[in-house]
Coordinates of all heavy atoms in Angstrom, one line a residue:
P1 N 74.9 101.1 89.5 CA 74.8 102.4 89.9 C 75.4 102.7 91.3 O 75.6 101.7 92.0 CB 73.3 102.8 89.8 CG 72.7 101.4 90.0 CD 73.6 100.4 89.4
Y2 N 75.6 103.9 91.6 CA 76.0 104.2 93.0 C 74.8 104.4 93.9 O 73.7 104.8 93.4 CB 76.9 105.5 92.9 CG 78.3 105.2 92.5 CD1 78.6 104.6 91.3 CD2 79.4 105.3 93.4 CE1 79.9 104.3 90.9 CE2 80.7 105.0 93.1 CZ 81.0 104.5 91.9 OH 82.2 104.2 91.5
V3 N 75.0 104.3 95.2 CA 73.9 104.4 96.1 C 74.3 105.2 97.3 O 75.5 105.1 97.8 CB 73.5 102.9 96.6 CG1 72.4 103.0 97.7 CG2 72.9 102.1 95.4
I4 N 73.4 106.0 97.8 CA 73.6 106.8 99.0 C 73.0 106.1 100.2 O 71.8 105.7 100.2 CB 73.0 108.2 98.9 CG1 73.7 108.9 97.7 CG2 73.2 109.0 100.2 CD1 73.1 110.3 97.4
A5 N 73.8 105.8 101.2 CA 73.3 105.0 102.4 C 73.1 105.9 103.6 O 73.0 107.1 103.6 CB 74.2 103.8 102.6
A6 N 73.1 105.2 104.8 CA 72.7 105.8 106.0 C 73.4 107.1 106.4 O 72.8 108.0 107.0 CB 72.9 104.8 107.2
A7 N 74.7 107.2 106.1 CA 75.4 108.3 106.6 C 74.9 109.7 106.1 O 75.2 110.7 106.7 CB 76.9 108.2 106.2
C8 N 74.2 109.7 105.0 CA 73.6 110.9 104.5 C 72.4 111.4 105.3 O 72.2 112.6 105.3 CB 73.2 110.7 103.0 SG 72.5 112.2 102.2
I9 N 71.8 110.5 106.0 CA 70.5 110.9 106.8 C 70.8 112.1 107.7 O 71.7 112.1 108.5 CB 70.0 109.7 107.6 CG1 69.5 108.6 106.6 CG2 68.8 110.2 108.4 CD1 69.1 107.3 107.3
D10 N 70.0 113.2 107.5 CA 70.1 114.4 108.3 C 71.4 115.2 108.2 O 71.6 116.1 108.8 CB 69.8 114.1 109.8 CG 68.3 113.7 109.9 OD1 67.5 114.1 109.1 OD2 68.0 113.0 110.9
V11 N 72.3 114.7 107.3 CA 73.5 115.4 107.0 C 73.3 116.2 105.7 O 73.4 117.4 105.7 CB 74.7 114.5 106.9 CG1 76.0 115.2 106.5 CG2 75.0 113.7 108.2
M12 N 73.0 115.5 104.6 CA 72.6 116.1 103.4 C 73.6 117.2 103.0 O 73.2 118.4 102.7 CB 71.1 116.7 103.5 CG 70.2 115.5 103.7 SD 68.5 116.1 104.0 CE 67.8 116.3 102.4
D13 N 74.8 116.9 102.9 CA 75.9 117.9 102.6 C 75.7 118.5 101.2 O 76.1 119.6 100.9 CB 77.2 117.2 102.7 CG 78.4 118.1 102.4 OD1 78.8 118.9 103.2 OD2 78.9 118.0 101.2
R14 N 75.3 117.6 100.3 CA 75.0 118.0 98.9 C 76.2 118.3 98.0 O 76.1 118.7 96.9 CB 74.1 119.3 98.8 CG 72.7 119.0 99.3 CD 71.8 120.2 99.2 NE 70.5 120.0 99.8 CZ 70.1 120.0 101.0 NH1 71.1 120.3 101.9 NH2 68.9 119.8 101.5
S15 N 77.4 118.0 98.5 CA 78.6 118.1 97.6 C 78.5 117.2 96.5 O 79.0 117.5 95.4 CB 79.9 117.8 98.4 OG 80.0 118.7 99.5
C16 N 77.9 116.0 96.7 CA 77.7 115.1 95.6 C 76.9 115.6 94.4 O 77.2 115.3 93.3 CB 77.0 113.8 96.2 SG 75.4 114.1 96.9
V17 N 75.9 116.4 94.7 CA 75.1 117.0 93.7 C 75.9 117.8 92.7 O 75.7 117.7 91.5 CB 73.9 117.8 94.3 CG1 73.1 118.5 93.2 CG2 73.1 117.0 95.2
E18 N 76.8 118.6 93.2 CA 77.6 119.4 92.4 C 78.6 118.6 91.5 O 78.9 119.1 90.4 CB 78.4 120.4 93.3 CG 77.6 121.6 93.7 CD 78.2 122.3 94.9 OE1 79.4 122.6 94.8 OE2 77.5 122.6 95.8
E19 N 79.0 117.5 92.0 CA 79.9 116.7 91.2 C 79.3 115.8 90.1 O 79.9 115.5 89.1 CB 80.7 115.7 92.1 CG 81.6 116.4 93.1 CD 82.6 117.3 92.5 OE1 83.2 116.9 91.4 OE2 82.9 118.3 93.0
C20 N 78.0 115.5 90.2 CA 77.4 114.6 89.3 C 77.2 115.3 87.9 O 76.4 116.2 87.8 CB 76.0 114.1 89.9 SG 75.2 112.9 88.8
P21 N 77.8 114.7 86.9 CA 77.7 115.2 85.5 C 76.3 115.1 84.9 O 76.0 115.7 83.9 CB 78.8 114.5 84.8 CG 78.9 113.2 85.5 CD 78.6 113.5 86.9
V22 N 75.5 114.1 85.4 CA 74.2 113.9 84.7 C 73.0 114.3 85.6 O 71.9 114.0 85.3 CB 74.1 112.4 84.3 CG1 75.1 112.1 83.2 CG2 74.2 111.5 85.5
D23 N 73.4 115.0 86.7 CA 72.3 115.5 87.7 C 71.3 114.4 88.0 O 70.1 114.6 87.9 CB 71.6 116.7 87.1 CG 72.5 117.9 87.0 OD1 73.5 118.0 87.8 OD2 72.4 118.7 86.0
C24 N 71.8 113.3 88.5 CA 70.8 112.2 88.8 C 70.7 112.0 90.3 O 70.2 111.0 90.8 CB 71.2 110.9 88.1 SG 72.8 110.2 88.8
I25 N 71.1 113.0 91.1 CA 71.0 112.9 92.6 C 69.8 113.8 93.1 O 69.8 115.0 92.8 CB 72.3 113.2 93.3 CG1 73.4 112.4 92.7 CG2 72.2 113.0 94.8 CD1 74.8 112.7 93.3
Y26 N 68.8 113.2 93.7 CA 67.6 113.9 94.0 C 67.4 114.0 95.5 O 67.8 113.1 96.3 CB 66.4 113.2 93.4 CG 66.5 113.2 91.9 CD1 67.2 112.2 91.2 CD2 65.9 114.1 91.1 CE1 67.3 112.1 89.8 CE2 65.9 114.1 89.8 CZ 66.7 113.1 89.1 OH 66.8 113.1 87.7
E27 N 66.7 115.0 96.0 CA 66.5 115.2 97.4 C 65.3 114.5 97.9 O 64.2 114.6 97.4 CB 66.3 116.7 97.7 CG 67.5 117.5 97.5 CD 67.7 118.7 98.4 OE1 67.0 118.8 99.4 OE2 68.5 119.5 98.2
G28 N 65.5 113.8 99.1 CA 64.3 113.2 99.8 C 64.1 114.1 101.0 O 64.7 115.1 101.1
D29 N 63.3 113.6 101.9 CA 63.1 114.4 103.2 C 64.3 114.4 104.1 O 64.6 115.5 104.6 CB 61.9 113.8 103.9 CG 60.6 114.1 103.3 OD1 60.5 115.0 102.5 OD2 59.6 113.3 103.5
R30 N 65.0 113.3 104.2 CA 66.1 113.2 105.2 C 67.4 112.8 104.6 O 68.4 112.8 105.3 CB 65.7 112.3 106.3 CG 64.5 112.7 107.1 CD 64.3 111.8 108.3 NE 65.4 111.8 109.2 CZ 65.5 110.8 110.2 NH1 64.7 109.9 110.3 NH2 66.6 110.9 111.0
K31 N 67.4 112.4 103.3 CA 68.7 112.1 102.6 C 68.5 112.3 101.1 O 67.4 112.6 100.7 CB 69.1 110.6 102.9 CG 68.2 109.6 102.3 CD 68.6 108.2 102.8 CE 69.8 107.6 102.0 NZ 69.5 107.3 100.6
L32 N 69.6 112.1 100.4 CA 69.5 112.3 99.0 C 69.5 110.9 98.4 O 70.0 109.9 99.0 CB 70.6 113.2 98.4 CG 70.2 114.7 98.5 CD1 70.3 115.2 100.0 CD2 71.0 115.5 97.6
Y33 N 69.1 110.8 97.1 CA 69.0 109.5 96.4 C 69.5 109.6 95.0 O 69.3 110.6 94.3 CB 67.5 109.1 96.3 CG 66.8 108.9 97.6 CD1 66.2 109.9 98.4 CD2 66.7 107.6 98.1 CE1 65.6 109.7 99.6 CE2 66.1 107.3 99.3 CZ 65.5 108.4 100.0 OH 64.9 108.1 101.2
I34 N 70.2 108.6 94.6 CA 70.7 108.5 93.2 C 69.8 107.7 92.4 O 69.5 106.6 92.7 CB 72.1 107.9 93.2 CG1 73.1 108.8 94.0 CG2 72.6 107.6 91.8 CD1 74.5 108.2 94.2
N35 N 69.3 108.2 91.3 CA 68.4 107.5 90.4 C 69.2 106.5 89.6 O 70.1 106.8 88.8 CB 67.8 108.5 89.4 CG 66.7 107.8 88.6 OD1 66.7 106.6 88.4 ND2 65.7 108.5 88.1
P36 N 69.0 105.2 89.9 CA 69.8 104.1 89.3 C 69.6 104.0 87.8 O 70.5 103.5 87.1 CB 69.3 102.8 90.0 CG 68.0 103.2 90.5 CD 68.0 104.6 90.8
A37 N 68.5 104.6 87.3 CA 68.3 104.5 85.8 C 69.1 105.6 85.1 O 69.3 105.5 83.9 CB 66.8 104.7 85.5
E38 N 69.5 106.6 85.8 CA 70.3 107.7 85.2 C 71.7 107.7 85.5 O 72.5 108.3 84.8 CB 69.6 109.1 85.7 CG 68.2 109.3 85.2 CD 67.6 110.5 85.8 OE1 68.2 111.2 86.6 OE2 66.4 110.8 85.4
C39 N 72.1 107.1 86.7 CA 73.5 107.1 87.1 C 74.4 106.4 86.0 O 74.1 105.3 85.6 CB 73.7 106.4 88.4 SG 75.3 106.2 89.0
I40 N 75.5 107.1 85.6 CA 76.4 106.5 84.6 C 77.6 105.8 85.2 O 78.6 105.5 84.5 CB 76.8 107.5 83.5 CG1 77.5 108.7 84.2 CG2 75.6 108.0 82.8 CD1 78.2 109.7 83.2
D41 N 77.6 105.7 86.5 CA 78.7 105.0 87.2 C 80.0 105.6 87.1 O 81.1 105.0 87.1 CB 78.8 103.5 86.7 CG 78.1 102.5 87.5 OD1 78.2 102.6 88.8 OD2 77.5 101.6 87.0
C42 N 80.0 107.0 87.0 CA 81.3 107.7 86.8 C 82.1 107.7 88.1 O 83.4 107.9 88.1 CB 81.1 109.1 86.3 SG 80.4 110.2 87.6
G43 N 81.5 107.6 89.3 CA 82.2 107.6 90.5 C 82.6 108.9 91.1 O 83.2 109.0 92.2
A44 N 82.2 110.0 90.4 CA 82.6 111.4 90.8 C 82.1 111.8 92.2 O 82.7 112.5 92.9 CB 82.2 112.4 89.8
C45 N 80.9 111.3 92.5 CA 80.2 111.6 93.7 C 80.9 111.0 95.0 O 80.9 111.6 96.1 CB 78.7 111.3 93.7 SG 78.5 109.5 93.3
E46 N 81.4 109.8 94.8 CA 81.9 109.1 96.0 C 82.9 109.8 96.9 O 82.7 110.0 98.1 CB 82.4 107.7 95.6 CG 82.8 106.8 96.8 CD 83.2 105.4 96.4 OE1 83.3 105.1 95.2 OE2 83.4 104.6 97.3
P47 N 84.0 110.3 96.3 CA 85.0 111.1 97.1 C 84.5 112.4 97.5 O 85.1 113.0 98.5 CB 86.2 111.2 96.2 CG 85.6 111.1 94.8 CD 84.4 110.2 94.9
A48 N 83.4 113.0 96.9 CA 82.9 114.3 97.3 C 82.2 114.3 98.6 O 82.1 115.3 99.3 CB 82.0 114.8 96.2
C49 N 81.7 113.2 99.0 CA 80.9 113.1 100.2 C 81.8 113.1 101.5 O 82.6 112.2 101.7 CB 80.0 111.9 100.2 SG 79.0 111.8 101.7
P50 N 81.6 114.1 102.4 CA 82.4 114.2 103.6 C 82.2 113.1 104.6 O 83.0 112.9 105.5 CB 82.1 115.6 104.1 CG 80.7 115.8 103.6 CD 80.6 115.2 102.3
V51 N 81.0 112.4 104.5 CA 80.7 111.3 105.5 C 80.7 109.9 104.8 O 80.2 109.0 105.4 CB 79.4 111.6 106.2 CG1 79.5 112.9 107.1 CG2 78.2 111.8 105.2
Q52 N 81.3 109.8 103.6 CA 81.4 108.6 102.9 C 80.1 107.8 102.8 O 80.0 106.6 103.0 CB 82.5 107.6 103.6 CG 83.9 108.0 103.2 CD 84.5 109.0 104.1 OE1 84.4 109.0 105.3 NE2 85.1 110.1 103.5
A53 N 79.0 108.5 102.5 CA 77.7 107.9 102.4 C 77.5 107.1 101.1 O 76.6 106.4 100.9 CB 76.6 108.9 102.6
I54 N 78.4 107.4 100.1 CA 78.1 106.9 98.7 C 79.1 105.8 98.4 O 80.3 105.8 98.7 CB 78.3 108.0 97.7 CG1 77.5 109.3 98.1 CG2 77.9 107.6 96.3 CD1 77.7 110.5 97.2
S55 N 78.5 104.7 97.8 CA 79.3 103.6 97.3 C 78.6 103.0 96.1 O 77.4 103.2 95.9 CB 79.7 102.6 98.4 OG 78.5 102.2 99.0
Q56 N 79.3 102.2 95.4 CA 78.7 101.5 94.2 C 77.8 100.4 94.8 O 78.1 99.8 95.9 CB 79.8 100.8 93.4 CG 79.5 100.7 92.0 CD 80.7 100.4 91.1 OE1 81.8 100.1 91.6 NE2 80.6 100.5 89.8
D57 N 76.7 100.1 94.2 CA 75.7 99.3 94.8 C 76.2 97.9 95.2 O 75.8 97.4 96.2 CB 74.4 99.2 94.0 CG 74.6 98.7 92.6 OD1 75.7 98.5 92.2 OD2 73.5 98.5 91.9
R58 N 77.1 97.3 94.4 CA 77.6 96.0 94.8 C 78.7 96.1 95.8 O 79.1 95.0 96.3 CB 78.1 95.2 93.5 CG 79.1 95.9 92.7 CD 79.3 95.2 91.4 NE 79.7 96.0 90.3 CZ 81.0 96.4 90.1 NH1 81.9 96.0 90.9 NH2 81.3 97.2 89.1
R59 N 79.1 97.3 96.3 CA 80.0 97.4 97.4 C 79.4 97.9 98.6 O 80.0 98.2 99.6 CB 81.2 98.3 96.9 CG 82.1 97.6 95.9 CD 83.4 98.4 95.7 NE 83.2 99.6 95.0 CZ 83.3 100.8 95.6 NH1 83.7 100.9 96.8 NH2 83.1 101.9 94.9
V60 N 78.1 98.1 98.6 CA 77.4 98.6 99.8 C 77.5 97.6 100.9 O 77.3 96.4 100.7 CB 75.9 98.9 99.5 CG1 75.1 99.1 100.8 CG2 75.7 100.0 98.5
P61 N 77.9 98.0 102.1 CA 78.1 97.0 103.2 C 76.8 96.3 103.5 O 75.7 96.8 103.3 CB 78.4 97.9 104.4 CG 78.9 99.2 103.8 CD 78.3 99.3 102.5
E62 N 76.9 95.0 103.9 CA 75.7 94.2 104.1 C 74.7 94.8 105.0 O 73.5 94.7 104.7 CB 76.2 92.8 104.6 CG 75.5 91.6 103.9 CD 76.2 90.3 104.3 OE1 75.7 89.7 105.3 OE2 77.1 89.9 103.6
D63 N 75.1 95.5 106.0 CA 74.2 96.0 107.0 C 73.5 97.3 106.4 O 72.6 97.8 107.1 CB 74.9 96.4 108.3 CG 76.0 97.4 108.1 OD1 76.5 97.6 107.0 OD2 76.3 98.1 109.1
Q64 N 73.9 97.7 105.2 CA 73.2 98.8 104.6 C 72.4 98.4 103.3 O 72.0 99.2 102.6 CB 74.2 99.9 104.3 CG 75.1 100.2 105.5 CD 75.2 101.7 105.6 OE1 74.8 102.5 104.9 NE2 75.9 102.1 106.7
A65 N 72.3 97.1 103.1 CA 71.6 96.6 101.9 C 70.2 97.2 101.8 O 69.7 97.4 100.7 CB 71.6 95.1 102.0
A66 N 69.6 97.4 102.9 CA 68.2 98.0 102.9 C 68.1 99.3 102.2 O 67.1 99.7 101.6 CB 67.7 98.2 104.3
F67 N 69.3 100.0 102.1 CA 69.3 101.3 101.4 C 69.2 101.2 99.9 O 68.7 102.1 99.2 CB 70.5 102.2 101.8 CG 70.3 102.8 103.2 CD1 70.7 102.1 104.3 CD2 69.6 104.0 103.3 CE1 70.4 102.6 105.6 CE2 69.4 104.5 104.6 CZ 69.8 103.8 105.7
V68 N 69.7 100.0 99.4 CA 69.6 99.8 98.0 C 68.1 99.6 97.6 O 67.6 100.2 96.7 CB 70.4 98.6 97.6 CG1 70.3 98.3 96.1 CG2 71.9 98.8 97.9
A69 N 67.4 98.9 98.5 CA 65.9 98.6 98.3 C 65.2 99.9 98.5 O 64.3 100.3 97.7 CB 65.4 97.6 99.2
D70 N 65.5 100.7 99.5 CA 64.9 102.0 99.8 C 65.1 102.9 98.6 O 64.2 103.6 98.2 CB 65.5 102.5 101.0 CG 64.9 103.9 101.4 OD1 63.7 104.0 101.5 OD2 65.7 104.9 101.6
N71 N 66.2 102.9 98.0 CA 66.6 103.7 96.9 C 65.7 103.3 95.7 O 65.1 104.2 95.0 CB 68.0 103.5 96.5 CG 68.5 104.5 95.5 OD1 68.8 105.6 95.8 ND2 68.6 104.1 94.3
A72 N 65.5 102.1 95.4 CA 64.7 101.6 94.3 C 63.2 102.0 94.5 O 62.5 102.5 93.6 CB 64.8 100.1 94.2
R73 N 62.8 102.0 95.8 CA 61.4 102.4 96.1 C 61.2 103.9 95.9 O 60.2 104.3 95.4 CB 61.2 102.0 97.6 CG 59.8 101.6 97.9 CD 59.6 100.9 99.3 NE 60.6 101.3 100.3 CZ 61.4 100.4 100.9 NH1 61.4 99.1 100.5 NH2 62.2 100.8 101.8
F74 N 62.2 104.7 96.2 CA 62.1 106.1 96.1 C 61.8 106.5 94.6 O 61.1 107.4 94.4 CB 63.4 106.8 96.5 CG 63.4 108.3 96.5 CD1 62.8 109.0 97.5 CD2 64.0 109.0 95.4 CE1 62.8 110.4 97.5 CE2 64.0 110.4 95.4 CZ 63.4 111.1 96.4
F75 N 62.4 105.7 93.7 CA 62.2 106.0 92.3 C 61.1 105.2 91.6 O 60.9 105.4 90.4 CB 63.5 105.9 91.5 CG 64.6 106.9 91.9 CD1 65.6 106.6 92.8 CD2 64.4 108.2 91.5 CE1 66.5 107.6 93.1 CE2 65.3 109.2 91.9 CZ 66.4 108.9 92.7
S76 N 60.4 104.3 92.3 CA 59.4 103.5 91.7 C 58.1 104.1 91.7 O 57.2 103.6 91.0 CB 59.4 102.2 92.4 OG 58.9 102.3 93.7
H77 N 57.9 105.2 92.4 CA 56.6 105.9 92.3 C 56.9 107.4 92.1 O 57.9 107.9 92.5 CB 55.8 105.7 93.6 CG 56.6 106.1 94.9 ND1 56.7 107.4 95.3 CD2 57.2 105.3 95.7 CE1 57.4 107.4 96.4 NE2 57.8 106.1 96.7
P78 N 55.9 108.1 91.5 CA 56.1 109.5 91.1 C 56.2 110.4 92.4 O 55.7 110.1 93.4 CB 54.9 109.9 90.3 CG 54.0 108.7 90.2 CD 54.6 107.6 91.0
Ligands
SF4_1 FE1 76.3 110.9 89.4 FE2 78.5 109.6 88.7 FE3 77.7 109.6 91.2 FE4 76.3 108.2 89.3 S1 78.4 107.8 90.0 S2 75.5 109.5 90.9 S3 76.6 109.6 87.6 S4 78.4 111.4 90.1
F3S2 FE1 74.6 113.1 101.4 FE2 77.1 113.0 101.2 FE3 75.7 113.8 99.2 S1 76.0 113.6 103.0 S2 74.0 114.8 100.1 S3 75.6 111.8 100.1 S4 77.6 114.6 99.8

């Protein structure tokens, strides 16, 4: 799945939400989150983000690996 990392924090442009064909991008308090169980890996959201916050999980830069875990946590509780 694709993952939204640090650059989204307090920017929350939301262009990605409009591009997602399965509506799997959800709002958190300071950034948005992609539900890994719903993302179909289409890649449409990645170029839509003006701050390049989105990338495929296996291409997330090492210093942003925490965001993959944070993302999983966001969807692990109701
Ligand atoms: Fe939605 Fe496609 Fe982005 Fe996944 S890769 S979040 S399905 S737009
Ligand atoms: Fe955030 Fe970029 Fe989407 S700033 S809300 S990931 S378009």
